[in-house]
Amino acid sequence: MLGKMKHHHKLTVALCLIWAASILYGEMFAFWLPSLFTCSWPHHHLLKTDGVESDGKFTKVAIVTDPQLMDKTSFRLSSKTLALEVAQFYTDINMRRSFFHSILPFKPDLVLFLGDYFDGGPFLPEDEWQESLSRFKHVFGLASQGKVEDIPTFYIPGNHDLGYSRVASHKPDVIDRYEKAFGIRNRRFMVGSIEFISVDAQAIDGNPQKDLASDVWKFVQNVSSDAKSHPRVLLTHIPLYRPDQTPCGPHRGSSIIDQRFWRHIQDQEVIYQNYITLESSKKLLELIKPILVLSGHDHDQCTITHKSKSGSVTEHTLGTISWQQGNIYPSFMLLSVPNAVHQNSSDLDKMLHTQLCFLPSQLFIYMWYLSLIVVTLLALLLWPNHGISFLNNAADCISNVMKLSFLSGATKEKNEDENCEYEMMWDAEGSMHLVKKVLQTPLKRQSDKSLVERGNAVMRAAARKNTSEQIEVVMDSNVNAGAGGSDSLMRSASKSRTKLVIQRVIRTIMMIIVIAAFNVPIYMMLLFKDWIEQ
């Protein structure tokens, strides 16, 4: 019994360690990988090759898009539903870990968000929208000034924040509360020696006779007047036009390019669109003349090259940072912006350096947890009592059975087995073992010595006769009691198996309690530490 408990304790300790290692990796170490091993600022390799010791020549920009904080519109559930609360918490904690443990360790000089901060932003009442705004600030550690710690932060609007032109044109209060929290929709600002131009892409293809679309194009016309003063980067939440089957590079998860574009019949405002129209895309490129375009909205990664009158322009569409938005490989981008650019230099687009970085796949982490649960249950239920030595025990049992068969059919036995008999014993698992026992034989008289030869091979006729009668009596008794004895044996074996199953279930429950008592505190500590600390 002590040996069995020892094997069970070893198994429990091994499973505890496996679970602890899995939790530490899935809840903490996995989020350290981008900054430690898998990603770096794209200008670092240039500094090494050029022999430059400092990276002060570049401004480091971290770019994030499409967090889309879940709300009641995500699953059509009412607010404060337990299922919605759990989904919100685990989605928020994943993005918070990604931001604090994967992105901020790169120590960016600026953080840029490319839209879609909420899921049902235009359709939330004021109190629920403010609650979602508080969650957004907590997830990304925003101060009261809208900064991430002391890092300057810029935002552009997305369709889940304002809605397309059909929605925004009928809800001016939605635009007002957005601009109050995140700033104006169309803006320009300098990063290093590069000018960034952000536009409200949801209104670009709206009815040109209405204010939303006309405001965007007036802004674009104004910034186009001095397009040659600085190299420019165009920021648009909705990507520029791309034909079907357009190659998007090796990081694209889905090959589908969906060109859905719907207008309302009455006012011709946009109800839904995946990409900016071809005409609007060409017009933006010709007026702004960017050397790089950054976009989101698609939730999937895509890198393409546009042709315009001013030359070729690369567009990077970033994948979502949220694992709940249809991309099992969430990502962010690192952008190195030069602090000084010579206007006469050629290949201005090559002065901007980008690096797409992937975050841990939360879906795979949860799948590993589920698989480990199944393996733990099977191991505790099916692990043999004697550990991995059960193979040796099975071999001994087979050997004993074969030996018994050989002894029953032999006409002459070994000397060491003359005064022994084998008894069948059943253990707690229902396995049969043969136990060798020594018979107590009476001392033979000297007068009988002449009647017995070696090994009792020669016996008196009367003794032989008596022996035959005894064998016949035993056989008859066995025949008469055959049915009852077989039933008794089957009942005994069934009881042994039932007892074994009950013992295994109880043992499994006890071991699960031990494993949970060791690992649940670790999991909860990591979970709430990341949620609470700043």
Side-chain angles (χ1 to χ4, degrees), residues 215-246:
D215 289 345
V216 177
W217 288 113
K218 286 178 182 178
F219 170 78
V220 172
Q221 291 286 349
N222 290 334
V223 300
S224 67
S225 60
D226 56 349
K228 295 183 179 181
S229 59
H230 297 281
R232 286 176 167 174
V233 173
L234 173 61
L235 305 177
T236 168
H237 175 71
I238 301 178
L240 301 183
Y241 176 83
R242 58 198 61 171
D244 293 340
Q245 308 303 321
T246 299

Side-chain angles (χ1 to χ4, degrees), residues 412-425:
K412 187 175 182 179
E413 299 178 353
K414 295 182 181 179
N415 291 335
E416 62 182 10
D417 293 333
E418 288 177 355
N419 297 320
C420 300
E421 67 177 4
Y422 290 88
E423 181 178 354
M424 292 185 294
M425 301 293 292

